[in-house]
Amino acid sequence: MTIGMIILIVVAILILLGVGQRVLDRMRLNDKLALLFIALIIGLGFVPDIRVTDVFAFNLGGAVVPLALCIYLFVRADTAWERWRSILASLVTGAAIFAIGVFAPDEPETITVDPIILYGLAAGLIAYIFGRSRRCAFIAGVIGMMLSDTANAIYVWSKGVPQDFVLGGAGAFDGIVIAGIVAVLLAELLGEIIERMKRGTQRPTREFRNGEFVKEEHR
């Protein structure tokens, strides 16, 4: 079982236990829909890859379902600016991860951690920085990893190397899952810290109502 599968199973268990309900609410997801997407990603991940050309294929669970989830979140965005921000954040994330893959050292003795994990973590961080909101960060993390994988395949093909590329398959699946989850976790944790800091700097005010002063807390 891959690390991506393990992460999804843990997330599913947490959802069943009622943990993270606020995150789902802010992403415009309910627990049943979230569990449905997770089940489809895991279940369809075992379906054989769909071959398009001799060197390109895609996986239903690793590519199509995550892409469908991103489209759903994109459509449910509150404003046009949030949609544009998710697009820009996805492009920046994809470009950054592609650049890291091209210029980072690839000698075996210099690699102590699976590069897919590192790329997923980096994509999640970059997606949060440029996406900010939970929806935008998730979209940017997932789509950014897909764009990076696609760009890398095109880069290899341009050198005349007929390397097989499966979008959302094998290790790429783990990177996509890690990027999406890390982006949302950062948006939730850091967003909560920032919100608490802002509330802490705002002093309560008093307003005269019905013949008496009422203290109001800023939220």
Side-chain angles (χ1 to χ4, degrees):
M1 185 176 293
T2 67
I3 186 172
M5 292 287 188
I6 294 173
I7 291 174
L8 288 177
I9 292 174
V10 171
V11 171
I13 293 174
L14 292 176
I15 292 175
L16 289 172
L17 294 175
V19 178
Q21 189 60 51
R22 191 182 70 164
V23 178
L24 293 178
D25 291 341
R26 293 188 175 185
M27 292 181 68
R28 300 295 189 271
L29 284 171
N30 56 49
D31 52 353
K32 292 181 179 179
L33 189 57
L35 289 172
L36 174 61
F37 273 111
I38 291 175
L40 288 174
I41 291 173
I42 294 176
L44 295 179
F46 291 103
V47 174
D49 302 326
I50 297 178
R51 179 66 54 179
V52 179
T53 69
D54 292 338
V55 293
F56 172 65
F58 62 88
N59 184 272
L60 290 174
V64 176
V65 179
L67 180 59
L69 176 55
C70 288
I71 293 174
Y72 172 82
L73 296 176
F74 181 84
V75 173
R76 299 274 291 179
D78 294 327
T79 63
W81 166 238
E82 188 176 7
R83 295 188 184 95
W84 277 110
R85 190 173 62 195
S86 65
I87 293 174
L88 294 173
S90 298
L91 293 174
V92 171
T93 302
I97 300 305
F98 172 72
I100 292 174
V102 171
F103 297 107
D106 57 358
E107 293 79 7
E109 62 273 10
T110 64
I111 301 175
T112 57
V113 181
D114 189 340
I116 294 297
I117 297 178
L118 293 179
Y119 293 158
L121 293 173
L125 175 61
I126 297 169
Y128 162 69
I129 292 174
F130 290 93
R132 305 301 294 174
S133 74
R134 292 154 185 80
R135 282 192 300 272
C136 286
F138 179 84
I139 292 172
V142 172
I143 300 299
M145 281 297 296
M146 289 186 181
L147 291 176
S148 172
D149 291 339
T150 303
N152 183 68
I154 295 174
Y155 175 72
V156 172
W157 292 338
S158 68
K159 292 187 172 183
V161 180
Q163 178 175 304
D164 192 33
F165 170 50
V166 181
L167 182 62
F173 170 81
D174 293 337
I176 290 172
V177 172
I178 293 172
I181 298 299
V182 168
V184 172
L185 287 178
L186 288 175
E188 174 64 18
L189 296 177
L190 297 182
E192 179 65 19
I193 292 174
I194 293 173
E195 288 176 8
R196 288 181 179 274
M197 291 176 62
K198 287 182 178 179
R199 287 199 298 267
T201 59
Q202 294 178 334
R203 296 180 179 179
T205 59
R206 292 180 179 272
E207 183 177 344
F208 190 75
R209 295 179 185 173
N210 301 323
E212 62 180 3
F213 286 97
V214 178
K215 183 170 69 173
E216 290 189 338
E217 297 287 345
H218 292 289
R219 296 182 182 274

